[in-house]
Amino acid sequence: MVSIQNLHKKFGKNQVLSGLNLEIKEGGIFAVLGPNGSGKTTLIKCLLGMVIPNKGKISVLGVNVKNGSDYRNKIDYLPQIANFPSNLKVKELIKMIKDLRGNTTLDQDLINLFKLEPFLDKKLGNLSGGTKQKVNLVLTFMFDSPLIILDEPTSGLDPISLIRLKNLIQNEKAKGKTILITSHIMSFVEEVSDEIVFLLEGEIYFKGSISELKTKTNQPDFEHAIASILTDNHA
Amino acid sequence: MLKILKYSFYDLMRSRWSYVYFAFYLLLGVVLLFLNNDLSKAVITLMNVIIVLVPLIGTIFGVMYYYNSKEFTELLLAQPLKRSSIFLGQYLGVAISLSMSLILGLGIPFIFYGLFKSSAIWDFSLLLITGTFLTFIFTALAFNIALSNENKIKGFGYAILLWLFLAIIYDGVFLMSLIMFEDYPLDKLSLIGTMLNPIDLSRTLILLKLDISALLGYTGAIFKQFFGTNFGLIVSISMLSVWVVMPVLRIIFKAKKKDF
């Protein structure tokens, strides 16, 4: 599904990714974890072609990321911070993205799911953070793509929306899709993910299932297992 | 690219500033015609305003639009769209909407005044053409500056400096060098010097079309010989086109390498 070889990225003097290798097979939910500044978002942006790597090769569904932009038709991406043009209405934004990417009928179901109907005629600048995130989720899930990338999907969501999101993610997984998630909410990661990829200082520190991580670190629960990696490496 | 162009254009058409800009030209056109009562004289006054103002507005608007639509750009970058089409679409959206404000704002009062029956129609058209060229040139330069500077304040600073340099400082330096080297034959040098600055080039082009080159003395005669002919006109227009194409190419080049 996704194959990354020897990925390097530097921002000025700040080496963010240094020789990262990662293979993600088709189907399942993968969580990309790591402390702040470990390069999670950079990695995702490299996959999307928003950040141009200094070195290395990335291919998504067998297509080299450098060769054109059509491969992004196969990716649904949820950006970390929902920054939308503030003078557009929700309805107009959805229509515009549909116009740019091709038509879909899934948007209505998602609008109903997240109860966004009353906000459709409001301008994006006037929405609360949580509502913006719901719009963001609608825009992401309304295209039925085989690869879904979610950068901090839970931020700002209320408990009921969080449950809906989890169901939505499980439904997508059941369809055989590959889902990449980054999050700092460990309970969420533990609940949804099949496999985790732990980034530390621009390299992959651990890749495997949560139970493997617990055995490796000798910790009874997931949150402490993550914490022990961080204290061992930063203490 | 056309879809991005469409959205940028609509976005700008809905913004207050396009109307302010349009209304300004409308007012300027009406007032000038009312005070001057003479089309050709109004064209000369207009030229002086346009030559300085159009580049300024193009630069400021270009930089402002780029920084303001950063979020929109990031949203677009994650979609299956080519980078070059995103940025070219936005650039053309800004440049076309600004040019429309200029052409409609000035065109309407002049048409009502009886432009089509007047002999000034060619001068006026040339004025609008160079105004449009200047808009495209300076918006492209502004996009270049904004693409190269993450920091808004720096971006604005450089943009203003660029305008100041090309609109005012360049002329000063040019004039000083002409005075210093006045013992040497300078016709070729001054022709080239004029060509290298789009603002000077536009000004000279219009002035010489307006048949007031007699005021410029000997240099005026040489300029007239060059710019007044069809050959000169073609060279000048192609030079202005080069001034559009070069920055646009750099936008494409820069956009391909940038991280977001």
Side-chain angles (χ1 to χ4, degrees):
Chain A
M1 194 60 156
V2 176
S3 145
I4 300 171
Q5 281 147 29
N6 194 28
L7 189 66
H8 285 77
K9 181 65 199 177
K10 226 183 204 175
F11 289 109
K13 280 181 187 157
N14 184 10
Q15 182 86 37
V16 180
L17 297 174
S18 37
L20 187 140
N21 293 292
L22 180 64
E23 292 287 333
I24 290 176
K25 56 184 193 323
E26 204 174 326
I29 302 175
F30 297 81
V32 180
L33 305 178
N36 299 335
S38 58
K40 301 183 294 285
T41 299
T42 307
L43 174 64
I44 284 174
K45 286 191 167 175
C46 282
L47 273 180
L48 286 161
M50 290 169 80
V51 167
I52 309 209
N54 300 118
K55 220 163 91 183
K57 187 174 165 248
I58 305 174
S59 52
V60 176
L61 289 143
V63 181
N64 192 333
V65 168
K66 274 185 188 155
N67 302 340
S69 54
D70 288 339
Y71 78 96
R72 289 204 282 273
N73 265 319
K74 304 270 170 42
I75 305 180
D76 289 338
Y77 167 60
L78 179 95
Q80 187 170 28
I81 303 160
N83 270 335
F84 297 124
S86 53
N87 54 353
L88 271 183
K89 287 179 190 162
V90 177
K91 212 166 55 184
E92 291 170 330
L93 179 69
I94 294 176
K95 208 178 128 209
M96 182 183 90
I97 297 294
K98 271 161 80 173
D99 184 26
L100 290 173
R101 255 191 95 158
N103 219 339
T104 168
T105 46
L106 291 172
D107 55 326
Q108 203 49 50
D109 301 341
L110 288 160
I111 289 168
N112 295 336
L113 177 68
F114 288 109
K115 307 270 178 287
L116 280 171
E117 202 67 53
F119 299 102
L120 286 181
D121 277 314
K122 296 227 166 87
K123 288 201 169 167
L124 284 150
N126 301 333
L127 297 184
S128 75
T131 316
K132 267 190 202 164
Q133 183 69 356
K134 288 182 199 167
V135 175
N136 206 357
L137 285 165
V138 172
L139 291 180
T140 309
F141 283 100
M142 70 182 185
F143 298 100
D144 211 10
S145 311
L147 177 61
I148 301 174
I149 299 176
L150 308 171
D151 201 350
E152 294 285 353
T154 58
S155 68
L157 290 184
D158 53 34
I160 179 83
S161 310
L162 192 57
I163 293 173
R164 287 179 187 136
L165 172 66
K166 283 177 194 164
N167 288 335
L168 192 60
I169 292 177
Q170 291 303 340
N171 287 342
E172 297 299 312
K173 184 193 161 189
K175 289 185 202 161
K177 296 186 180 180
T178 313
I179 304 166
L180 263 181
I181 297 179
T182 74
S183 179
H184 284 294
I185 317 287
M186 288 304 140
S187 56
F188 175 76
V189 171
E190 192 171 9
E191 201 180 327
V192 300
S193 60
D194 300 322
E195 205 170 295
I196 63 164
V197 175
F198 197 93
L199 287 186
L200 205 58
E201 280 155 16
E203 282 173 63
I204 289 180
Y205 180 83
F206 173 83
K207 180 172 183 282
S209 69
I210 291 174
S211 54
E212 281 167 24
L213 181 74
K214 285 179 192 165
T215 352
K216 189 182 175 185
T217 52
N218 261 330
Q219 294 287 337
D221 68 274
F222 178 52
E223 205 153 5
H224 282 91
I226 296 289
S228 86
I229 299 180
L230 294 180
T231 38
D232 289 351
N233 286 281
H234 286 286
Chain B
M1 187 181 87
L2 284 177
K3 280 181 183 169
I4 312 279
L5 168 62
K6 185 179 83 184
Y7 284 109
S8 293
F9 186 74
Y10 281 149
D11 185 31
L12 279 160
M13 278 292 120
R14 293 201 317 199
S15 100
R16 195 159 22 112
W17 290 106
S18 300
Y19 292 105
V20 172
Y21 191 51
F22 167 72
F24 170 79
Y25 279 125
L26 199 64
L27 194 73
L28 185 73
V30 171
V31 168
L32 279 181
L33 285 173
F34 185 70
L35 291 179
N36 264 326
N37 263 327
D38 179 350
L39 269 175
S40 328
K41 276 186 189 155
V43 169
I44 297 174
T45 319
L46 261 185
M47 180 209 76
N48 281 318
V49 179
I50 283 184
I51 251 40
V52 177
L53 199 71
V54 164
L56 180 66
I57 300 286
T59 325
I60 299 289
F61 243 75
V63 176
M64 209 165 72
Y65 185 82
Y66 177 87
Y67 287 125
N68 270 346
S69 59
K70 236 177 142 78
E71 282 122 34
F72 180 49
T73 312
E74 277 173 26
L75 187 71
L76 293 177
L77 281 166
Q79 309 300 328
L81 298 166
K82 267 196 250 152
R83 280 191 175 195
S84 51
S85 45
I86 296 175
F87 288 97
L88 281 187
Q90 292 188 344
Y91 160 67
L92 289 176
V94 178
I96 291 175
S97 81
L98 284 180
S99 308
M100 268 192 38
S101 293
L102 172 79
I103 292 171
L104 290 180
L106 288 181
I108 291 170
F110 275 76
I111 286 172
F112 275 109
Y113 196 81
L115 176 72
F116 290 128
K117 279 179 241 145
S118 148
S119 58
I121 181 157
W122 294 115
D123 300 338
F124 185 72
S125 316
L126 186 68
L127 187 73
L128 290 187
I129 289 169
T130 44
T132 308
F133 262 116
L134 284 177
T135 306
F136 274 78
I137 291 169
F138 279 85
T139 314
L141 291 174
F143 262 69
N144 269 293
I145 290 172
L147 267 168
S148 313
N149 291 286
E150 274 302 298
N151 186 334
K152 269 188 203 188
I153 306 292
K154 258 192 188 170
F156 267 102
Y158 286 138
I160 298 283
L161 269 181
L162 174 82
W163 170 79
L164 202 65
F165 178 75
L166 287 179
I168 295 161
I169 299 174
Y170 186 92
D171 276 356
V173 174
F174 190 41
L175 202 67
M176 291 294 283
S177 60
L178 287 189
I179 292 170
M180 276 175 60
F181 299 105
E182 65 182 338
D183 298 341
Y184 302 92
L186 288 171
D187 358 331
K188 283 236 170 69
L189 183 79
S190 50
L191 264 180
I192 293 168
T194 309
M195 287 290 205
L196 289 179
N197 180 345
I199 297 183
D200 275 353
L201 184 59
S202 314
R203 184 187 288 135
T204 321
L205 196 60
I206 300 169
L207 272 182
L208 292 166
K209 271 283 163 215
L210 288 177
D211 242 4
I212 44 174
S213 51
L215 298 176
L216 299 173
Y218 172 66
T219 337
I222 289 176
F223 271 54
K224 178 84 187 164
Q225 238 176 37
F226 180 74
F227 286 101
T229 57
N230 280 337
F231 172 71
L233 190 71
I234 290 164
V235 171
S236 316
I237 297 280
S238 25
M239 197 62 204
L240 285 174
S241 312
V242 169
W243 264 101
V244 178
V245 171
M246 296 299 281
V248 167
L249 287 179
R250 192 170 173 273
I251 291 178
I252 298 173
F253 177 76
K254 260 279 172 209
K256 275 207 177 111
K257 298 201 156 179
K258 198 171 155 67
D259 295 323
F260 290 90

